[in-house]
Amino acid sequence: MIVAIDGPSGTGKSSTSKAVAAQLGLSYLDTGAQYRAITWWMLNNGIDVHDAAEVATAAAKPVIVSGTDPTGPTITVDGEDASGPIRTQEVTSKVSAVSAVPEVRTRITELQRTIAAGAAKGIVVEGRDIGTTVLPDADIKIFLTASPEARAARRSGEVKGSDLAATKEALIKRDAADSGRKTSPLAKAGDAVEVDTTELTLQQVIECVVTLVGEKQAAR
């Protein structure tokens, strides 16, 4: 069973995906962490992240390994734990530029497909182009949405001292960058089930997705 969960930042993708995977006994993959990891590596190695040619040349160099245990997902870059460093504001502000480079997307997409294929019991994969590009044949595709205000409030709650208006502006800017890129843009797959999480609690979203997956399993 391959479950693809897509959507923009702040919709509850990560929390939902991890909980669903844990509840159903499936593996879990945060694809956004992989793009953050390669961005972090670029910044650490003096690569100009706004120079697409330079980024493309370096794309194959870092060794990125993702742990798929939903109760404790890990990510290392060249053997170094990167789970903390990839969440900095610097990485957040640069990841869209790096992930828009076709060579980066090709490299990471291949990695994601390999991980999904090797998940013996099935996997929940979350991202922005999973149902459309990475795993178009996923058993079930879910697209999470929420209002910009709700998303900003959630994201601000995760980062102490953050400004709500600035957070909302940053989210909208990232939406535009991710939806507008030429290679694998953020988009809802034609056969995806859309779930608006604006008025839902996290537990309600988790229950909704578990129900959808259960219905799909029963239909098989």
Side-chain angles (χ1 to χ4, degrees), residues 1-2 25-28 68 114-124 220:
M1 171 64 70
I2 293 180
L26 305 176
S27 295
Y28 160 75
T68 58
T114 298
I115 292 170
K121 295 181 180 179
I123 191 168
V124 177
R220 293 169 75 190

Side-chain angles (χ1 to χ4, degrees), residues 181-199:
R181 64 175 177 243
K182 293 182 179 179
T183 306
S184 301
L186 163 66
K188 175 189 170 187
D191 54 348
V193 178
E194 184 170 321
V195 178
D196 189 332
T197 70
T198 303
E199 302 293 336

Side-chain angles (χ1 to χ4, degrees), residues 110-128:
E110 289 174 353
L111 181 59
Q112 292 161 0
R113 287 173 176 162
T114 298
I115 292 170
K121 295 181 180 179
I123 191 168
V124 177
V125 185
E126 61 139 313
R128 286 170 169 75

Side-chain angles (χ1 to χ4, degrees), residues 20-57:
V20 168
Q23 195 166 321
L24 298 178
L26 305 176
S27 295
Y28 160 75
L29 177 61
D30 175 0
T31 64
Q34 295 175 317
Y35 284 105
R36 284 176 172 273
I38 199 167
T39 300
W40 177 67
W41 183 91
M42 298 275 176
L43 293 169
N44 275 4
N45 286 273
I47 305 297
D48 181 355
V49 297
H50 297 294
D51 184 332
E54 192 174 344
V55 170
T57 299

Side-chain angles (χ1 to χ4, degrees), residues 86-125:
I86 64 172
R87 301 296 172 182
T88 63
Q89 185 54 45
E90 183 182 23
V91 171
T92 298
S93 65
K94 303 292 194 302
V95 67
S96 286
V98 173
S99 61
V101 177
E103 288 81 358
V104 170
R105 298 209 74 82
T106 296
R107 162 86 198 285
I108 299 298
T109 295
E110 289 174 353
L111 181 59
Q112 292 161 0
R113 287 173 176 162
T114 298
I115 292 170
K121 295 181 180 179
I123 191 168
V124 177
V125 185

